[in-house]
Amino acid sequence: MAFLGCHIDDALAEKFAAMAANEGGKSVLMRRLVEQAIGNGRSPARVAMTAGASRKVTIRLRESELRLLSTIAALRGMNRTQWIASLVRARIGFPLQQTHG
């Protein structure tokens, strides 16, 4: 198995480690990021998104999850719906929705 590494600022490394703790660890998160960047062979082939009407999907979350979701989305310059849609699109291989910042 190949090793992929890089040097980053200590403060950034600490933030990444804290985030990775909730994602299964640093190695797991790094593998996931690389797979998302190049595709992992398990997701559908990337295809251009076609124009057309969007459809509504409803999910249920706890109040605490909604508050956290709103906060995270706002930090990225998005509303909850935009951020959730970006997460789903990224996971299925479509281009990410960019923030206005």
Side-chain angles (χ1 to χ4, degrees), residues 47-98:
V47 295
M49 289 178 46
T50 58
S54 62
R55 305 283 300 268
K56 182 178 180 176
V57 174
T58 303
I59 62 171
R60 292 185 180 276
L61 298 171
R62 293 178 180 90
E63 188 63 37
S64 60
E65 294 168 329
L66 282 173
R67 281 193 305 274
L68 184 57
L69 176 66
S70 295
T71 300
I72 293 170
L75 289 172
R76 287 163 175 75
M78 301 174 158
N79 63 38
R80 293 185 316 203
T81 300
Q82 290 170 324
W83 193 64
I84 291 169
S86 291
L87 292 175
V88 171
R89 289 180 182 127
R91 184 68 177 157
I92 62 175
F94 287 117
L96 296 175
Q97 178 175 337
Q98 301 297 313

Side-chain angles (χ1 to χ4, degrees), residues 9-32:
D9 179 84
D10 290 341
L12 184 58
E14 288 178 26
K15 290 178 183 178
F16 183 80
M19 182 176 129
N22 295 323
E23 301 291 330
K26 293 185 284 187
S27 292
V28 171
L29 182 56
M30 283 297 297
R31 276 192 294 278
R32 187 175 312 130

